[in-house]
Amino acid sequence: MKSNRTNPFYLIPYYLWIVLFVIAPIALVLYFSFFDIAGNLTLDNYRNFFSSVYLRLTLSSFWYAFLITLISLLVAYPTAYWLTKTKHKHLWLLMIIIPSWINLLLKAYAFIGIFGLYGPANNLLAAIGSERLQILFTDFSFIFVSVYIFIPFMVLPIFNSLDRINPALIDASRDLGASSWTTFTRVIFPLAINGVKAGIQVVFIPALSLFVITRLIAGNKVITLGTAIEQQFLVTQNWGMGSTIAVFLILFMIIVMMVTGEKGGTINGKIK
């Protein structure tokens, strides 16, 4: 019988990649977090992080990430469910994914034009007799554009989970007299929960560290952990404080991944 063990030699590129592009960058961030702006070894950065300013910043980042994730989920779930019922579902799925291939900056500048004072959005308001509004540089514009950008990343894992559900399980639920709502809550949603968790991961974690959209769309009226890191590194040149914020951001990401990680379940009626 042939052994199924992989030759350790083939794992060398994998281990090199992990060390050079995962472990080493995190170690460098952790190292710099122990130095102040003058290059002196200190723990002040960690004490400063627990000040009221950075705690409010952290709560604000989690709040915006939560809103972006929740709205993305509310839009993506019914969309993904509808896609599984269409005839050309993979074609429609591709149409949803294609916008994610466009550069983030291009999409941000496009929305600057759309939401501008004389852009299409305000032209529509003027056409129906309403006053032109300052849509840019508001919480609404920031959340709207963020949701638009993250929607494909929420739709894809949910679609994959829903598409793998055995239709016989749904038919059996209905044959046993379950209502559509009961079938959804007791059969469909539990079987697709891993797709929902994966979607939450790929939306919530990046939403915590947004900074390009906060600058271009929100006009720095929305400050996130990502924006704070950018300012510490590029504006104040305080690499130590920027690294400290990055350390906590990494910890928050790990916690989110642990909370939303797969803990077993059923797919197509089989225990994982």
Side-chain angles (χ1 to χ4, degrees):
M1 294 179 63
K2 293 183 178 180
S3 175
N4 291 326
R5 293 182 179 179
T6 303
N7 191 327
F9 176 79
Y10 298 121
L11 296 176
I12 292 177
Y14 169 77
Y15 290 129
L16 284 175
W17 179 274
I18 294 297
V19 170
L20 293 176
F21 299 106
V22 178
I23 298 177
I26 293 176
L28 284 174
V29 168
L30 185 62
Y31 171 77
F32 281 114
S33 69
F34 291 105
F35 292 89
D36 60 17
I37 194 170
N40 301 316
L41 191 65
T42 180
L43 292 175
D44 287 345
N45 295 326
Y46 286 90
R47 283 193 289 266
N48 292 335
F49 184 84
F50 290 99
S51 65
S52 59
V53 174
Y54 287 104
L55 287 179
R56 286 199 302 269
L57 173 63
T58 302
L59 291 176
S60 175
S61 297
F62 270 88
W63 172 245
Y64 283 112
F66 170 76
L67 287 179
I68 292 168
T69 305
L70 177 62
I71 297 173
S72 298
L73 178 60
L74 292 177
V75 175
Y77 201 104
T79 302
Y81 184 78
W82 172 78
L83 286 175
T84 61
K85 304 300 179 183
T86 57
K87 184 177 181 181
H88 304 289
K89 54 188 176 184
H90 291 99
L91 176 61
W92 285 107
L93 181 64
L94 180 63
M95 297 297 291
I96 293 174
I97 294 175
I98 283 177
S100 66
W101 299 349
I102 302 173
N103 184 272
L104 177 61
L105 283 175
L106 292 179
K107 289 187 282 190
Y109 280 114
F111 274 104
I112 290 175
I114 293 172
F115 287 152
L117 196 58
Y118 296 97
N122 266 306
N123 289 340
L124 178 61
L125 291 176
I128 61 177
S130 177
E131 295 182 359
R132 293 181 181 270
L133 302 175
Q134 180 60 53
I135 304 176
L136 274 177
F137 312 136
T138 61
D139 287 1
F140 167 79
S141 61
F142 169 69
I143 294 174
F144 184 93
V145 175
S146 299
V147 169
Y148 167 79
I149 289 171
F150 286 124
I151 279 291
F153 303 104
M154 182 70 80
V155 169
L156 185 59
I158 295 177
F159 170 84
N160 288 333
S161 292
L162 289 171
D163 198 45
R164 288 199 299 263
I165 295 177
N166 190 338
L169 298 175
I170 300 175
D171 293 338
S173 173
R174 291 172 178 168
D175 290 343
L176 292 172
S179 63
S180 298
W181 176 249
T182 302
T183 300
F184 173 76
T185 56
R186 302 295 295 274
V187 179
I188 298 175
F189 188 79
L191 291 176
I193 192 63
N194 285 333
V196 174
K197 290 180 178 180
I200 291 174
Q201 282 186 11
V202 297
V203 173
F204 189 88
I205 291 177
L208 275 178
S209 56
L210 286 173
F211 68 93
V212 173
I213 299 175
T214 56
R215 284 198 175 278
L216 297 179
I217 303 298
N220 278 345
K221 291 185 178 180
V222 174
I223 304 297
T224 64
L225 290 173
T227 309
I229 293 172
E230 182 203 24
Q231 290 177 343
Q232 292 293 338
F233 274 98
L234 302 182
V235 180
T236 64
Q237 297 290 308
N238 189 348
W239 287 28
M241 194 64 224
S243 297
T244 302
I245 301 172
V247 167
F248 281 99
L249 182 58
I250 292 170
L251 289 176
F252 296 148
M253 291 178 177
I254 292 173
I255 292 172
V256 171
M257 292 178 66
M258 291 174 62
V259 171
T260 59
E262 294 186 11
K263 298 182 177 66
T266 59
I267 293 179
N268 292 337
K270 295 181 179 180
I271 303 296
K272 290 181 63 180

